[in-house]
Amino acid sequence: MNECYYDKRMDFFYNRTKTDTADEWTGAQLIGVLCFGTFFCIFIFISNSLVIAAVVKNRRFHFPFYYLLANLAAADFFAGIAYVFLMFNTGPVSKTLTVNRWFLRQGLLDTSLTASLVNLLVIAVERHMSIMRMKIHSNLTKKRVTFLIISIWAIAIFMGAVPTLGWNCLCDITVCSSLAPIYSRSYLVFWSVLNLVVFFIMVVVYIRIYMYVQRKTNVLSSHTSGSISRRRTPVKLMKTVMTVLGAFVVCWTPGLVVLLLDGLNCTDCGIQNVKRWFLLLALLNSVMNPIIYSYKDDEMWATMKRMICCSSEDKSQERRSSRIPSTVLCRSTDTSGHYIEDGIIQGTICGKGDLGDKGNS
């Protein structure tokens, strides 16, 4: 019967696998890493909160696609929490962690990745349901979307907890990996291959859907007199989703490949030298997504700008209220519950004039 090592601290496993835990991270270098990570995590929290608030505030976003987009932003927000926890439990601190605290550190990262991945997969299904009917949005009810979102997080939490539930090497340290010294190599192979296969499937699905939309749009454009913006809306949404998916694949694939090599026990691959850079690349994915939303979706950008503008104007009004008569500084342009399918805002924001068009993508 194999001996189990649940009561050991992580230095036992790191020393056994000869894993570099960056003992040289001290002084100015450690402070620089923490400041760099803190800046990006704060940006992740603020920007993704704005995306979620925009979906809640703007009635034009009250459709399945945008609910799922908001949930993807929530996954990025959760990833920020995971990175904050990682920052203060990495480097030389790693060796002082208990097994349970190390499981928590990695479980948070795995949960955030799974939440984003499954959410993108659900968005692919939603887009397929809509596009094949040449509609902007699917007919999913709010109850079904809520059920899907709950299911996404249930799957993410479960996948993040799988090593804690038993698929680890605490009772058989001969199969421990190098990068994750209490994860078994078989689990790393399973985890990385599963995610890479899902990446490939989603890319193929989105390419096929996009080709179908382009072909169908070209056919319909010569037989219908509808507005160009109306016909281009499904294409614009697809471009937004494909850009998000592309960024996700680019940012996460190198790290997953490194995990796969570690799971295959590749001792000459130099994975220890690149692991931190690939983790940073994964962090940048949560930074990029809100930027993609605002750049690719004029309505999203305008709503976020309106919230920031109105917030600053409200503060200015409070400071001037004792000197000038109170006026209405911001008047919402969204006075009806009707959805404008071309997704372009008409009107002004906070009384400052026309926003202009950021251009169709």
Side-chain angles (χ1 to χ4, degrees):
M1 183 175 180
N2 293 332
E3 181 181 0
C4 295
Y5 298 90
Y6 292 101
D7 58 338
K8 296 290 186 179
R9 287 191 174 271
M10 289 305 300
D11 58 343
F12 171 81
F13 300 97
Y14 279 117
N15 292 335
R16 187 184 180 284
T17 58
K18 299 179 181 180
T19 302
D20 176 23
T21 55
D23 290 324
E24 71 277 8
W25 280 15
T26 57
Q29 187 177 13
L30 179 60
I31 294 175
V33 170
L34 291 176
C35 291
F36 184 79
T38 300
F39 171 78
F40 277 107
C41 287
I42 291 174
F43 180 83
I44 288 172
F45 293 143
I46 295 176
S47 58
N48 285 287
S49 295
L50 280 174
V51 172
I52 297 171
V55 173
V56 173
K57 182 180 178 64
N58 194 334
R59 293 182 180 180
R60 299 174 185 176
F61 294 150
H62 291 185
F63 291 92
F65 171 79
Y66 286 103
Y67 291 146
L68 294 172
L69 205 64
N71 193 51
L72 188 60
D76 287 328
F77 188 96
F78 183 85
I81 297 175
Y83 291 127
V84 169
F85 190 84
L86 174 66
M87 277 195 304
F88 293 98
N89 292 276
T90 192
V93 181
S94 297
K95 288 187 175 183
T96 67
L97 299 178
T98 63
V99 167
N100 289 335
R101 192 171 182 85
W102 194 94
F103 272 137
L104 176 61
R105 188 189 82 173
Q106 297 305 122
L108 291 174
L109 291 173
D110 294 346
T111 299
S112 66
L113 169 60
T114 305
S116 298
L117 183 62
V118 178
N119 204 95
L120 282 170
L121 186 60
V122 173
I123 290 176
V125 175
E126 190 275 342
R127 287 293 84 199
H128 185 275
M129 293 170 58
S130 303
I131 297 303
M132 293 307 166
R133 297 179 176 89
M134 287 307 295
K135 293 183 178 180
I136 299 176
H137 298 289
S138 66
N139 294 325
L140 287 174
T141 64
K142 288 186 178 181
K143 288 184 178 180
R144 290 182 180 178
V145 174
T146 302
F147 173 77
L148 287 173
I149 291 175
I150 293 174
S151 299
I152 287 169
W153 285 102
I155 294 172
I157 293 172
F158 174 76
M159 292 300 296
V162 165
T164 309
L165 297 176
W167 201 345
N168 55 60
C169 64
L170 292 176
C171 294
D172 187 6
I173 58 177
T174 60
V175 298
C176 289
S177 65
S178 174
L179 293 179
I182 58 177
Y183 279 9
S184 64
R185 290 194 296 271
S186 61
Y187 173 75
L188 288 189
V189 172
F190 162 79
W191 171 257
S192 55
V193 170
L194 176 64
N195 285 282
L196 290 172
V197 168
V198 175
F199 283 3
F200 178 76
I201 292 174
M202 285 196 298
V203 169
V204 171
V205 169
Y206 277 118
I207 290 176
R208 290 190 62 183
I209 294 176
Y210 184 74
M211 292 175 63
Y212 173 82
V213 170
Q214 289 283 48
R215 184 172 64 252
K216 202 72 174 179
T217 302
N218 292 336
V219 172
L220 292 176
S221 62
S222 60
H223 295 87
T224 62
S225 57
S227 68
I228 296 177
S229 296
R230 180 186 178 92
R231 292 196 303 267
R232 285 181 178 175
T233 301
V235 179
K236 292 172 64 178
L237 291 180
M238 280 305 304
K239 285 183 177 180
T240 300
V241 176
M242 292 184 69
T243 304
V244 171
L245 176 62
F248 188 80
V249 171
V250 169
C251 290
W252 280 101
T253 298
L256 291 173
V257 171
V258 166
L259 289 178
L260 177 60
L261 293 175
D262 188 22
L264 296 175
N265 200 24
C266 181
T267 56
D268 300 324
C269 297
I271 55 179
Q272 293 289 344
N273 299 325
V274 297
K275 63 178 184 179
R276 299 186 193 94
W277 298 107
F278 290 162
L279 181 61
L280 177 60
L281 185 62
L283 168 65
L284 289 178
N285 178 242
S286 297
V287 175
M288 292 168 60
N289 281 344
I291 299 175
I292 295 172
Y293 304 151
S294 59
Y295 178 77
K296 285 289 186 179
D297 194 316
D298 299 318
E299 181 90 359
M300 179 68 71
W301 165 248
T303 304
M304 293 169 65
K305 187 173 181 179
R306 180 163 62 244
M307 289 190 298
I308 297 173
C309 174
C310 290
S311 175
S312 61
E313 289 287 350
D314 287 342
K315 291 180 181 179
S316 299
Q317 183 186 19
E318 290 177 2
R319 289 195 297 266
R320 298 195 303 265
S321 60
S322 60
R323 291 177 294 169
I324 61 175
S326 61
T327 58
V328 179
L329 295 177
C330 300
R331 187 179 303 275
S332 173
T333 60
D334 185 15
T335 57
S336 69
H338 298 291
Y339 181 73
I340 300 178
E341 292 183 332
D342 61 8
I344 300 176
I345 287 184
Q346 304 295 332
T348 60
I349 301 241
C350 294
K352 297 297 182 182
D354 192 6
L355 266 180
D357 213 341
K358 292 171 56 182
N360 293 327
S361 299

